Amino acid sequence: GQNIDQPTEMTATEGAIVQINCTYQTSGFNGLFWYQQHAGEAPTFLSYNVLDGLEEKGRFSSFLSRSKGYSYLLLKELQMKDSASYLCARTVDSSYKLIFGSGTRLLVRP
Amino acid sequence: DSGVTQTPKHLITATGQRVTLRCSPRSGDLSVYWYQQSLDQGLQFLIQYYNGEERAKGNILERFSAQQFPDLHSELNLSSLELGDSALYFCASSGSSRGPGTQETQYFGPGTRLLVL
């Protein structure tokens, strides 16, 4: 199977840190993507992890553990504009088609 | 702006009709992917083309078909439309190493919102 699980909703406060977890089935795994999607808009690329460890990119970081089938997206110094859905997606085999989780809706409150 | 363009932005049609959605990939990208996003579902992979050839297929209905032309633009054809086909249809492209990410990174177009009445 290629199930991807992530929480449906999260709420956090402006200026705080939030961690969005994602678990996936490891068979046929190539890499793990995180996308941000505001309602009604296109997903925009945030990060790509193919090796274990933490990738830091400004306020956003992403972590991958291939053996555990686990990833997280860490958002620091939250801003109101970070309120969006965050989509975890994995590639499958050599085609690199993306299998998406259902997304985590993040609400940032003042 | 991802560099991927899609037309039309909105489409309203009736059940039983046929529509064509169009996508132009980023310059240099050879792969085009189509996804469907319904209100109650996440992004669902439909089909992928690479340099004119079908590369991978997802849960695409038989009523749906796609192709990629020599200039690399792609069209998704939806026929015998049903109410349940109402959704956002996204096209994405990948393949060049420009920009953040890698050659595998998919960049999404703005989508076509289809409403079937």
Side-chain angles (χ1 to χ4, degrees):
Chain A
Q2 298 159 359
N3 286 350
I4 297 176
D5 292 314
Q6 49 181 133
T8 304
E9 285 185 355
M10 298 183 73
T11 303
T13 305
E14 193 177 13
I17 299 174
V18 70
Q19 178 175 313
I20 302 174
N21 296 324
C22 170
T23 58
Y24 62 89
Q25 297 207 344
T26 57
S27 59
F29 175 79
N30 283 331
L32 198 292
F33 286 87
W34 284 95
Y35 283 82
Q36 180 192 61
Q37 186 180 27
H38 287 96
E41 297 183 9
T44 54
F45 169 73
L46 291 178
S47 67
Y48 177 47
N49 293 71
V50 64
L51 299 176
D52 289 351
L54 187 68
E55 298 265 350
E56 298 189 71
K57 202 186 295 185
R59 294 191 299 114
F60 293 5
S61 303
S62 57
F63 171 84
L64 178 68
S65 168
R66 288 173 298 170
S67 62
K68 294 181 179 177
Y70 169 68
S71 173
Y72 68 72
L73 181 70
L74 194 70
L75 293 77
K76 303 175 190 173
E77 301 168 16
L78 281 171
Q79 302 175 8
M80 299 298 291
K81 67 178 182 179
D82 297 330
S83 292
S85 285
Y86 291 85
L87 311 177
C88 174
R90 55 164 289 181
T91 53
V92 178
D93 304 321
S94 60
S95 71
Y96 293 104
K97 68 183 182 187
L98 287 175
I99 305 299
F100 281 88
S102 298
T104 299
R105 277 196 307 276
L106 174 65
L107 176 62
V108 180
R109 291 184 169 155
Chain B
D1 184 2
S2 67
V4 179
T5 60
Q6 288 186 249
T7 56
K9 276 191 144 177
H10 302 277
L11 201 47
I12 302 175
T13 188
T15 54
Q17 295 297 304
R18 172 190 167 94
V19 297
T20 297
L21 313 184
R22 183 189 167 100
C23 168
S24 292
R26 292 190 321 158
S27 176
D29 284 359
L30 299 179
S31 280
V32 169
Y33 308 77
W34 286 97
Y35 294 87
Q36 180 192 55
Q37 188 173 39
S38 305
L39 268 178
D40 57 348
Q41 291 189 358
L43 275 162
Q44 301 290 320
F45 169 74
L46 295 177
I47 197 163
Q48 178 202 0
Y49 279 82
Y50 177 82
N51 202 20
E53 299 289 327
E54 183 183 302
R55 185 85 179 264
K57 224 169 183 176
N59 295 326
I60 187 167
L61 299 171
E62 283 192 14
R63 301 184 284 110
F64 295 0
S65 64
Q67 52 184 330
Q68 186 179 28
F69 295 86
D71 67 351
L72 300 178
H73 91 270
S74 178
E75 293 181 357
L76 179 67
N77 300 296
L78 315 176
S79 61
S80 303
L81 284 167
E82 302 175 359
L83 296 178
D85 298 328
S86 296
L88 261 172
Y89 290 85
F90 288 106
C91 165
S93 74
S94 71
S96 69
S97 56
R98 293 187 328 278
T102 69
Q103 287 185 325
E104 295 82 18
T105 301
Q106 293 183 30
Y107 293 91
F108 283 76
T112 294
R113 185 176 293 277
L114 173 66
L115 179 59
V116 182
L117 300 176

